[in-house]
Structures are given as structure tokens and as C-alpha cells.
Amino acid sequence: GFRCLEISRWVVCGLIGFLTGLIACFIDIAVEELAGIKYRVVKENIEKFTEVGGLSISLILWAVLNSAIVMMGAILVAFFEPIAAGSGIPQIKCYLNGVKIPRVVRLKTLVVKVCGVICSVVGGLAVGKEGPMIHSGAVVAAGVSQGRSTSLKRDFKIFEYFRRDTEKRDFVSAGAAAGVSAAFGAPVGGVLFSLEEGASFWNQMLTWRIFFASMISTFTLNFFLSIYYNKPGDLSNPGLINFGRFESDSVAYNLYEIPLFIAMGAFGGLLGALFNKLNYWLTIFRIRYVHRPCLQVMEAMLVAAVTAAVSFTMIYFSNDCQPLGSENKEKYPLQLFCADGEYNSMATIFFNTPEISVRSLFHTQAGTYNPLTLGLFTITYFFLACWTYGLAVSAGVFIPALLIGAAWGRLFGILLASITPNGSIWADPGKYALIGAAAQLGGVVRMTLSLTVIMVEATGNVTYGLPIMLVLMTAKIVGDYFVEGLYDIHIKLQSVPFLHWDAPATSHWLTAREVMSAPVTCLNRIEKVGTIVDVLSNTSTNHNGFPVVMQGADSDEPSKLCGLILRSQLIVLLKHKVFVELARSRLTQRKLQLKDFRDAYPRFPPIQSIHVSQDERECMMDLTEFMNATPYTVPLETSLPRVFKLFRALGLRHLVVADDVNRVVGLVTRKDLARYHLGSHGLEELQLAQT
């Protein structure tokens, strides 16, 4: 039986990888086809009106197309599933941390996420489709591992053993890793992402299963894209973004360049901190004033129109013309006011999907872009990306950050070559574009180990492993000095009791007595049904766990702890009416089985939906058989860091605080710990988010 369970886990991970790869393939093909149609229409219109005059019509067409496409995605998110907004990485981090975010892994969320991200990218917003793949993979994992869909009301009667929090969380870790793998073609990076950013609870066997899911995801995407490109079996598209191959000869670097790379990392950290701070202020503004769905849709349309207008204006006034030779592989070259046989270089960056623009900055030969073009693009795209992240659309920040970094990194390489006596020693500006991209992304999201491996795998060259690692570490250190990473900021603003790796540095003189919630709502081992219903129905104290106490023979004797029971368990017991008329009688046959609890998971019915008659309220319920008889407890004087470690390592939701005679004196919850982790400034944010 245990072997069958282990085989089932591998089968589920294989299914997760396969389905995540298929979803990534669908998103990629849909974006490619729809964006192609849009760019061809706009390109033909621009070429037509360049000759006869009246380019303002082309601008209006571009802005209207962008706004209309983005409007569809924003309506889906704002009106049907708001949790699908953004990249979804903060929500998945919280889920894997042990916090249940409502509707985060539902089928409806997946559908809105996929359709929304297609609309966002095709609509020309400064976003990427890679971040949402992580959320999509997590939703696939949560659905497949349960062997049923509560949204479709279909139960396939398989994988019933996995219908519990710990198993489901492990599979969601695999889904997040498969999403990273499909996005970047980086299976090892996917595993490390789940380890570094996602899973709070890890074991060795989980590593292999997650790696297996990641490999299947990459292979599936690769295989189906090879069929799409009419090259069946040519597995040269391992991820949604293909950085292209950096050949060793062209990207060789010297020892004296390492300090320059570290300086670029520091600059990336500063720019990332500025990005995060501006986005933080903007998000607070949105929470206060742009919280109605219709306003959110209008804001998304405004950003889409402004993005089109800015792009068109910069292309129109740019005089950076480059020869259109055979080695140039521009997909939609715009001639505009350039001479015959030339194309507008600014249009190469703006008039493409962000992924193609990143690859262009990495690999086009020296001299393709002039410094003014890159400088203007960096500044404008920085503010556009900052304004875009946090809209009511499905979108990621990975690719915009890479694109901004690649632009200023390439600019740095060009300036370096121009101010040094022997400019030829600073070989290819593409390598500085790569380092700049890593620095900017590291400065925004503050990932280190996983991002290093993702960049190395996506470029297909390990030569730059050391510089990328140094750059990401520098960007994180510099950025952390000013402000937290973007995902941590949004987690805090969403009022989620997220537990970080370590307790706050200022918590060593605090004890469980200072952080616990008291008094505690307790239940007797044999409790009246009416009392249980009243406790669960009390909306002012929406508790999730209740210590079970046993009253002593003498009424003056204190009640001692004998277990802990959850709200969800009590609801199942009430639903199945597991109670008896007299306190001292015993049920001769228990009809309730473990399957009844698994069938109710994860959407346990609310207490309001369970009818209990007046006669039944007088009955008694024996909790002995169903409670956790060995809950974790700590003494009153336990230090806060120790309490924190217990929560973080064991994935606890409740920790009972008992005195020296085993009486319940308090209960520590995740919210209690998160409150002390936020500090006074964080509490203001928490209150803001809650209001």
C-alpha cells in the first residue's frame, strides 16, 4: 500500500509537469499569433500613412487596439476573479508558507489567469507572461493532486489519500517549480525557486519529485513547440523565453571586469529599490482610491493607451536608423522616416513582445543601438513597468525587469567602449546587457540562488555563473538596505500573516506570554451541541482551533488540557450528527470515517449551512475520538524566537500556551507572530489593507 502511494505521488508529479507544459505552450502560441496580427495591422497602417501623411490615425489605432485587448483581460480579473491579478507569486509564497488564501488555487482562477495574461501581453503592457506561469502550475498541481474539481463538481475517486494540507502543499511546490521550468526552460532553477522562495517545509524525496515535474514540464513545452514551428523533434525551445545561446568566445570576460560587474549589481540594487518604493506608494494609492472594479478596468485601459502613445512618440522622434542587412532578424521592422534599406532601431524594442526585445538587446551586434535610444528607453520603460505592476490584470514583472536591465546594461557596455583608449577590449555589449538584466531583476525581486541558476540555464552557458552570482548578491544587499523585495511588499500590503525564515532581531526579550491571545475559547471533552454551534457561529471570534479541556472531578479543580480540535472537524461532526442524547451514554457504532473528512476537504461547509434542531442542541458530543490528543504546547516563559521556529519548521497554525499544571492560559496564532514581525510601521500598512 505504501509503495502504491509513492508511485501515485510520482504519477501526480508527472501529470502536473505535462499539464503545466501544455498550458505554457497554449499561452505562447496564443500570444505569438495574436500579437503578430496586431503588429502587422499597425505596421501596415503606419507605412501607409508615412507616405500620405496623417500618422495620428496610426497612433489612435495602436492605442485603441491596446486598450480594447487589455480591457478584456482586466474585466475578467476585476469582475470574475480578482485573486488572478498580478503574477500570483506573492499568493503562492503565502500558500506554501502555510497561509490559506481564498480561491488562490481554483480552476476559475487558472482560466482567468491564462486568458488575462494573454490579453496583457498582446495588449502591449510592460509585462511578461513568465511570472503567471508559476501561479498556473500551482493551480494545476492543487487540482490534479486532489483527483477532483470542486468547481466542476466532479469527483474522479482517485488520489483521495492526498486530500489534506501537507500533501497538497507538497504538490503545489512541484507545480510552482514546473511553472518556472516552463517559463525559462530551467528545471534546476525551478526546484531551487520552490526551495528558496516557496516551500516552507521541505524533505529530500520531495526534491526528486519536484525535479521530475520540472523536467516533464520543459520537455512537454519543447516537444509541442517543435511541432508548432514545423520542426517535430527539434527540441530547441525549452522555455517561454529563449535568451538565445551565448557562445563562449563571444562572452568571455576578464578578471578586471569583475569589479565593473559588481558595480552594475549595486546600481541594479538601487534602481530595484527605487522601483519597489514607487510601486509601494502607487499600490497604497490604488488600495485607497482605485478599489472598485470599474475603476480598475479604466485604469488598465489608460495604462495601455499611454504605453502605446509613449511607444509611438519615441519611435516617431527617434532618428536612430540602422541598415537592414541579412544578419538582422527583425520580425516587424519599421522604416518610418529612415532611408530605403534601413529600419528604425527604437521600433525594434517597442514594436515587439518584450521577450523578443530582450533577446535583441542580448544578441544584436555592436552598433545596432545608439546610446540615446537605450537611455530614453530605459527611463520610459522603467516608469511604465512600475505603473503597470499592480494593475487588475494578470501579468509578471520578470521580463520587464530583464528588459530594463538589458537596456541600461548594453548602454553601459557602449559607453565603456567609447571612453577607453582601446575600446575593442570590451568585446560584445551583449554580455553587459546580460549582467544588467540580472542586476535589475535581482534588485526588484531579491532572489539569489534560484535566479542565478535560472539565468545560467536560460542562456545555456555556465561561463557567466560567477559574475551573475556576484551581481545578484550585490543587488540584494544594496536593495535590502533601502526597502524589501517587491513580493514581500505586496504580501505585507495584502495583510497576510506571512512568517519569514527568522524571527525579528528585536524579539529575543519577548516571551509567549507577550504574544499569545487570551482568554482562550475552550471546549470540554464531552460538550453540549448547542455550545459548539454557538461558538462556531460567533462571527466576532472567528477562531479556527479550540483547545479541548477535561474538567476535574471537583468543580473547583482547574480544567486541564487534553487535546486540540479544528473548526473544520467540528463542522463535519455536526454535519453527520455525531452526538448522543445523554452525556454518559456511548455510541456503540461510529459511522464516521476518515473518508468523510477527506470528502469535505478543502471547502468545508460554513456553520450557517448546517441545521441543528432545538432538541439536538441539548445532545452531547464526545470529542475524545476526533481531537488531536497530542497538540504542541509551550510554557508561558518560552522565548519568541523559539515559538517562531516551532511555527516555521512544523507548519503550525495554533500553539497552546499552558502553565505549570497544564492549564490553558493562551493560544499563539500566525497573526500574533506576524504582528510582531511587522513592527509599528508595518501595523499601519496592515490596518490600511484591512480597511
Side-chain angles (χ1 to χ4, degrees), residues 36 70 88 131 145 186 198 216 267 350 352 373 392 455-456 465 471 493 501 531 592 639:
V70 168
S145 64
I216 294 292
F267 183 67
F350 274 118
N352 269 314
T373 298
M455 295 293 286
V456 167
V471 161
L493 285 172
W501 288 106
T531 304
L592 208 59
S639 69

Side-chain angles (χ1 to χ4, degrees), residues 530-604:
T531 304
I532 293 174
V533 172
D534 292 340
V535 166
L536 295 180
S537 302
N538 188 354
T539 53
S540 63
T541 56
N542 195 20
H543 301 317
N544 200 40
F546 303 92
V548 180
V549 295
M550 181 167 55
Q551 189 70 42
D554 185 358
S555 58
D556 295 331
E557 193 176 328
S559 303
K560 294 190 177 181
L561 176 70
C562 60
L564 184 80
I565 194 159
L566 302 180
R567 170 182 289 268
S568 55
Q569 294 170 307
L570 290 170
I571 283 176
V572 173
L573 295 177
L574 288 171
K575 182 183 177 183
H576 290 273
K577 303 194 183 299
V578 184
F579 35 76
V580 290
E581 289 183 20
L582 298 173
R584 297 192 179 279
S585 64
R586 287 283 181 270
L587 280 178
T588 54
Q589 185 180 6
R590 297 284 190 192
K591 293 184 179 179
L592 208 59
Q593 299 175 342
L594 196 56
K595 184 179 182 300
D596 297 308
F597 290 94
R598 286 177 181 161
D599 286 344
Y601 178 86
R603 295 193 204 173
F604 295 98

Side-chain angles (χ1 to χ4, degrees), residues 2-272:
F2 283 116
R3 281 178 184 162
C4 287
L5 274 178
E6 193 57 32
I7 291 168
S8 297
R9 289 190 181 98
W10 284 89
V11 169
V12 170
C13 285
L15 282 171
I16 290 167
F18 178 72
L19 292 173
T20 304
L22 279 182
I23 289 169
C25 186
F26 170 74
I27 291 173
D28 196 46
I29 292 170
V31 166
E32 187 116 344
E33 293 295 329
L34 294 173
I37 293 168
K38 186 192 86 170
Y39 286 129
R40 279 193 294 273
V41 168
V42 176
K43 182 174 182 287
E44 288 167 9
N45 194 275
I46 289 174
E47 287 172 349
K48 174 187 169 185
F49 285 104
T50 303
E51 296 172 7
V52 300
L55 273 171
S56 56
I57 296 172
S58 301
L59 167 60
I60 293 168
L61 173 69
W62 194 355
V64 167
L65 276 176
N66 274 15
S67 297
I69 295 167
V70 168
M71 181 185 72
M72 291 189 287
I75 286 172
L76 280 174
V77 171
F79 287 96
F80 292 98
E81 197 52 86
I83 199 73
S87 65
I89 296 175
Q91 288 87 345
I92 295 304
K93 277 185 70 171
C94 294
Y95 185 90
L96 295 176
N97 190 255
V99 184
K100 282 194 174 182
I101 309 288
R103 306 186 311 280
V104 74
V105 287
R106 293 222 185 141
L107 179 63
K108 184 180 173 185
T109 306
L110 176 64
V111 172
V112 172
K113 196 90 187 178
V114 169
C115 298
V117 76
I118 291 169
C119 292
S120 301
V121 178
V122 174
L125 292 176
V127 298
K129 57 182 181 281
E130 282 67 22
M133 273 311 306
I134 297 165
H135 192 177
S136 300
V139 179
V140 168
V144 170
S145 64
Q146 302 303 290
R148 67 174 176 190
S149 169
T150 46
S151 300
L152 300 176
K153 295 181 171 56
R154 288 291 303 276
D155 191 343
F156 299 101
K157 305 292 183 186
I158 54 173
F159 309 136
E160 292 180 349
Y161 180 81
F162 302 141
R163 293 175 188 175
R164 51 199 177 114
D165 281 340
T166 50
E167 293 282 357
K168 189 175 180 180
R169 195 165 51 221
D170 286 351
F171 288 119
V172 170
S173 300
V180 174
S181 182
F184 296 97
V188 179
V191 176
L192 292 174
F193 174 84
S194 269
L195 175 58
E196 182 183 5
E197 288 292 310
S200 303
F201 321 106
W202 197 264
N203 64 66
Q204 195 174 17
M205 280 306 295
L206 190 59
T207 310
W208 270 109
R209 290 201 300 272
I210 289 179
F211 186 53
F212 176 66
S214 298
M215 289 297 297
I216 294 292
S217 174
T218 296
F219 176 79
T220 303
L221 175 69
N222 219 336
F223 176 73
F224 284 102
L225 283 183
S226 71
I227 296 171
Y228 171 68
Y229 292 121
N230 292 320
K231 297 177 181 176
D234 177 19
L235 305 181
S236 56
N237 296 285
L240 291 182
I241 181 168
N242 184 1
F243 288 161
R245 295 291 167 187
F246 282 80
E247 301 300 332
S248 296
D249 295 337
S250 65
V251 297
Y253 63 95
N254 292 296
L255 188 64
Y256 52 77
E257 288 181 278
I258 289 181
L260 292 173
F261 295 154
I262 292 173
M264 290 176 74
F267 183 67
L270 285 170
L271 267 186

